[in-house]
């Protein structure tokens, strides 16, 4: 590096500039090669670098080696794979040297595919994939320009056009082969670019509005980052096995009830995606491949129970978290009003499958594997779960936003893992867990919320709310439709749009409408395997087809969903809040005394 710097310094200005451009071009091209399948040895970057430098220089002596470091693959697996010593047959995971569950990768599996372009700069003209991308962008730009110039259209037409086209790209992301996070980020920024023309607001006003919006969005994003990081650390220490290893039954129907109940309550503390991955990984240890049909059905019930369990907890589902942070719901009334409908939803779905399993024999259990537990397993599990439960308490005491309590819990757990492991087991510490969280998912939420907040600032959502009010005056019907739509369309933008359409002046905090939105958006996605992050993870883990889920699981999910909606409406209209609280507490006590949690 020193000889190269001296060579550039001693050269004339023109030659030094040419050499620097050559090095920069080589870096760009070799970086492009790093993400392609092309050989790395004699690429165009190396050739350009050698041609741009004098004979005998450092660049001519050795090709630039940027590619291998950039192309280093991430390690991940479907379960916590542990190191094994063939001498004693005991698997050692005490230092975390095995591979861990990559929760982010499991939710992003459907994005895996061919690179956008191979040899993008070496092959001229550019590849067809990139050409198609530029053509698509040109078509979007033409549509937006047309919306802005056609006479008679409202000033918000360019923004609405951008949102609709971006949303279609998100819905059909597998066809366009572009990660939905990338689309959401571009859509969010472009929608804000049209706020000024749509509202007549000057640049200072737009910037001020954007600052306020980003402040609210950042709370949600950092809350999710903190929660996912805590869950990753607990998962790395195999903390969830403390609970799951107690399942010993071989009866199918008994296992169905236990797995569904455990998924329901575990999802309230974690989230539906993490719970599904943990429970489906557990099912592979409880049910062999010889009885894969049963395992797939149990996994389907895990998806339904995990989605329902996250609906009544402020930290159990991202949409419920959005409502909590936004002030639409508070903790105690949310639990009191939505817990019973969520239990009914799970109970009806499990009851249908329980009836279908009558007369079936016991399952075949795989052989038990001995393992060495990571150091501090019980401590990390207790602190991690306790830190998540501490967040609502901290908010109630200090009146600070929930993200503050989550970051406090994250810092405490981080400190414990640093002191606990030191330099002996770096993969069990927080920095490694931060690498495995679903960062792309957080950026997707950010882009979607930016786009929705832009339309809210422009008044688009108010106009939509007025239009919907002319179609129906029933909050229950509207929330039910939103929940059913979440089986096809991502529930995050649906809930964000509902929050923008109906302010707290229309539906106050803890009103029936927000309880219905929390329940319906959380459980409606279970009706299709692609309707929730939990379903997508289950689809990848068990290799379940869309048609199989539609025929085997969707009827039970739909029955449970409608039963829960009916329960919530009847509970709110006939019983009242006080009776709802009593009914919820009684139901929880009945479940606790039934032996379900004492497996």
């Amino acid at each position: 590096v020193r000889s190269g710097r001296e060579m550039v310094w001693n050269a004339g200005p023109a030659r030094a500039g040419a050499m620097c451009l050559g090095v920069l071009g080589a870096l760009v091209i070799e970086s492009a090669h790093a993400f392609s399948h092309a050989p790395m040895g004699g690429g165009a970057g190396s050739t350009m670098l050698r041609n741009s430098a004098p004979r005998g220089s450092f660049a001519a002596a050795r090709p630039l080696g940027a590619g291998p470091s950039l192309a280093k693959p991430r390690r991940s697996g479907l379960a916590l794979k542990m190191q094994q010593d063939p001498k004693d047959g005991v698997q050692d995971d005490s230092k975390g040297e095995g591979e861990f569950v990559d929760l982010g990768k499991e939710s992003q599996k459907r994005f895996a595919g061919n690179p956008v372009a191979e040899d993008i700069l070496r092959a001229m003209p550019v590849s067809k994939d990139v050409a198609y991308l530029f053509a698509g962008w040109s078509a979007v730009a033409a549509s937006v320009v047309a919306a802005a110039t056609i006479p008679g259209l409202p000033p918000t037409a360019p923004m609405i056009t951008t949102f609709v086209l971006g949303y279609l790209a998100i819905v059909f992301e597998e066809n366009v082969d572009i990660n939905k996070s990338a689309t959401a980020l571009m859509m969010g920024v472009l929608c804000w670019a049209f706020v000024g023309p749509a509202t007549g607001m000057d640049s200072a006003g737009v910037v001020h509005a954007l600052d306020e919006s980003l402040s609210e969005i950042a709370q949600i994003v950092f809350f999710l980052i903190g929660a996912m990081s805590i869950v990753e650390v607990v998962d790395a220490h195999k903390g969830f096995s403390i609970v799951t290893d107690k399942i010993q039954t071989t009866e199918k129907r008994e296992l169905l009830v236990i797995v569904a109940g455990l998924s329901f309550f575990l999802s309230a503390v974690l989230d539906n995606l993490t719970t599904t991955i943990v429970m489906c990984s557990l099912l592979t240890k409880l049910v062999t491949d010889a009885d894969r049909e049963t395992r797939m059905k149990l996994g389907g019930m895990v998806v339904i129970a995990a989605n329902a369990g996250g609906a009544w907890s402020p930290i159990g589902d991202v949409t419920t978290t959005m409502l909590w942070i936004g002030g639409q719901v508070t903790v105690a009334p949310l639990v009191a009003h939505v817990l019973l409908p969520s239990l009914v939803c799970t109970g009806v779905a499990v009851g249908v499958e329980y009836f279908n399993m009558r007369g079936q024999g016991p399952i075949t259990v795989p052989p038990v594997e001995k393992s060495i537990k990571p150091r501090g397993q019980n401590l990390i599990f207790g602190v991690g779960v306790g830190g998540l439960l501490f967040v609502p308490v901290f908010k109630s005491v200090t009146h600070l936003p929930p993200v503050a309590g989550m970051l406090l819990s994250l810092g405490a757990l981080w400190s414990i893992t640093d002191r606990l492991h030191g330099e002996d087991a770096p993969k069990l510490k927080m920095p490694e867990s931060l690498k495995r969280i679903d960062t792309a998912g957080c950026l997707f939420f950010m882009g979607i919320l930016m786009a929705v907040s832009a339309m809210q600032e422009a008044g688009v959502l108010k106009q939509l709310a007025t239009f919907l009010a002319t179609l129906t005056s029933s909050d229950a019907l509207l929330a039910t439709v939103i929940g059913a739509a979440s089986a096809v369309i991502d529930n995050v933008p649906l809930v964000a749009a509902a929050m923008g359409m109906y302010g707290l002046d229309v539906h106050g905090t803890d009103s029936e409408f927000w309880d219905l939105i929390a329940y319906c958006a959380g459980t409606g996605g279970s009706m299709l395997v692609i309707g929730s992050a939990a379903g997508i993870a289950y689809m990848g883990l068990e290799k379940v087809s869309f048609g199989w889920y539609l025929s085997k699981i969707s009827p039970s999910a739909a029955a449970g969903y409608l039963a829960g909606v009916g329960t919530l409406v009847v509970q709110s209209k006939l019983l009242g809040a006080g009776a709802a609280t009593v009914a919820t507490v009684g139901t929880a006590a009945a479940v606790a005394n039934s032996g379900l949690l004492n497996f």
Side-chain angles (χ1 to χ4, degrees), residues 3 31 99 103 353 379 455:
S3 62
S31 300
E99 296 189 7
L103 301 182
E353 193 59 38
L379 174 64
M455 292 195 298

Side-chain angles (χ1 to χ4, degrees), residues 187-397:
M187 180 178 66
V189 174
L190 290 176
C191 284
W192 269 101
F194 295 120
V195 169
T199 60
M201 192 184 304
D202 59 10
S203 58
V206 173
V207 171
H208 179 71
L210 179 58
D211 287 343
E212 291 183 349
S213 176
L214 287 177
S215 175
E216 298 176 0
I217 294 171
Q219 292 189 39
I220 298 176
V221 172
F222 281 106
F223 184 95
L224 294 175
I225 291 175
M228 289 189 292
S229 300
I230 291 175
V231 170
E232 279 285 357
V233 169
V234 175
D235 198 19
H237 287 78
K238 302 184 66 179
F240 303 119
S241 63
I242 296 175
V243 178
T244 57
D245 285 349
K246 295 182 180 180
I247 301 178
Q248 303 294 334
T249 183
T250 59
E251 295 296 328
K252 291 183 179 180
R253 299 210 291 184
E254 185 178 353
L255 182 61
L256 168 66
V257 175
I258 292 175
V259 167
L262 183 58
S263 300
F264 182 87
F265 290 103
L266 193 61
S267 178
V269 180
L270 308 178
D271 61 79
N272 50 8
L273 173 61
T274 305
T275 300
T276 300
I277 294 175
V278 171
M279 295 304 298
C280 286
S281 299
L282 168 69
L283 287 175
T284 60
K285 301 177 183 179
L286 296 176
V287 184
T288 61
D289 292 337
D291 201 1
R292 185 168 177 268
E293 181 78 9
T294 298
R295 193 173 69 197
M296 291 166 62
K297 291 182 178 180
L298 292 174
M301 293 299 108
V302 166
V303 172
I304 296 174
N307 286 334
W312 60 273
S313 168
I315 59 175
D317 186 89
V318 63
T319 54
T320 314
T321 301
M322 290 166 54
L323 294 170
W324 180 40
I325 294 177
Q328 280 75 17
V329 297
T330 55
V331 176
L334 173 69
V335 175
H337 299 161
V338 184
L339 175 56
L340 181 58
S342 299
L343 280 170
V344 171
C345 173
T346 304
V348 170
V350 171
V352 172
E353 193 59 38
Y354 189 91
F355 178 79
N356 294 334
M357 284 186 174
R358 65 189 185 281
Q360 298 184 11
I363 60 175
T364 304
V365 181
V368 179
E369 298 178 348
K370 295 183 294 181
S371 64
I372 299 176
K373 299 179 180 180
R375 182 185 179 188
Q377 180 189 40
N378 294 331
L379 174 64
I380 297 301
F381 176 75
V383 174
V385 175
L388 294 174
L389 296 175
F390 169 74
V391 174
V393 177
F394 184 80
K395 180 182 183 297
S396 300
V397 174

Side-chain angles (χ1 to χ4, degrees), residues 115-133:
V116 174
E118 296 185 6
D119 305 329
I120 185 172
L121 296 180
R122 185 173 64 178
M124 292 296 175
V126 296
S127 64
K128 291 189 297 183
D129 291 336
V130 176
Y132 292 154
L133 177 62

Side-chain angles (χ1 to χ4, degrees), residues 301-594:
M301 293 299 108
V302 166
V303 172
I304 296 174
N307 286 334
W312 60 273
S313 168
I315 59 175
D317 186 89
V318 63
T319 54
T320 314
T321 301
M322 290 166 54
L323 294 170
W324 180 40
I325 294 177
Q328 280 75 17
V329 297
T330 55
V331 176
L334 173 69
V335 175
H337 299 161
V338 184
L339 175 56
L340 181 58
S342 299
L343 280 170
V344 171
C345 173
T346 304
V348 170
V350 171
V352 172
E353 193 59 38
Y354 189 91
F355 178 79
N356 294 334
M357 284 186 174
R358 65 189 185 281
Q360 298 184 11
I363 60 175
T364 304
V365 181
V368 179
E369 298 178 348
K370 295 183 294 181
S371 64
I372 299 176
K373 299 179 180 180
R375 182 185 179 188
Q377 180 189 40
N378 294 331
L379 174 64
I380 297 301
F381 176 75
V383 174
V385 175
L388 294 174
L389 296 175
F390 169 74
V391 174
V393 177
F394 184 80
K395 180 182 183 297
S396 300
V397 174
T398 64
H399 302 290
L400 292 175
V403 64
M406 184 60 71
L407 294 179
L408 177 62
S409 299
L410 176 65
L413 187 60
W414 194 331
S415 302
I416 292 174
T417 56
D418 279 353
R419 296 297 300 171
L420 182 65
H421 298 295
E423 301 299 327
D424 295 335
K427 292 188 177 181
L428 295 179
K429 296 166 67 174
M430 187 63 72
E432 288 295 323
S433 296
L434 288 171
K435 297 177 182 178
R436 295 192 296 269
I437 65 174
D438 184 14
T439 307
C442 293
L443 292 176
F444 168 71
F445 299 143
M446 182 175 183
I448 286 292
L449 295 176
M450 285 183 65
V452 172
S453 64
M455 292 195 298
Q456 180 179 359
E457 189 69 28
V460 175
L461 298 184
K462 288 292 185 182
Q463 297 173 7
L464 181 59
T466 303
F467 172 74
L468 291 177
T470 61
L471 299 180
T472 177
S473 59
S474 172
D475 293 341
L477 179 59
L478 179 60
T480 303
V481 172
I482 291 176
S486 70
V488 181
I489 304 173
D490 196 282
N491 59 356
V492 171
L494 289 175
V495 173
M499 293 169 64
M501 288 189 295
Y502 304 99
L504 294 177
D505 56 334
V506 179
H507 297 288
T509 301
D510 296 322
S511 65
E512 179 191 3
F513 178 74
W514 296 122
D515 292 335
L516 283 166
I517 291 293
Y519 168 79
C520 294
T523 60
S526 301
M527 290 188 285
L528 294 178
V529 71
I530 61 172
S532 64
I536 293 170
Y538 159 70
M539 191 177 185
L541 289 168
E542 287 291 346
K543 304 298 184 293
V544 175
S545 66
F546 180 90
W548 184 91
Y549 189 96
L550 185 64
S551 61
K552 301 292 185 179
I553 305 298
S554 293
S556 302
Y561 172 74
L562 295 176
V565 171
T567 301
L568 201 157
V569 172
V570 171
Q571 170 186 275
S572 177
K573 298 295 184 183
L574 300 183
L575 301 181
T581 303
V582 174
T584 300
V585 173
T587 303
V591 172
N593 294 328
S594 65

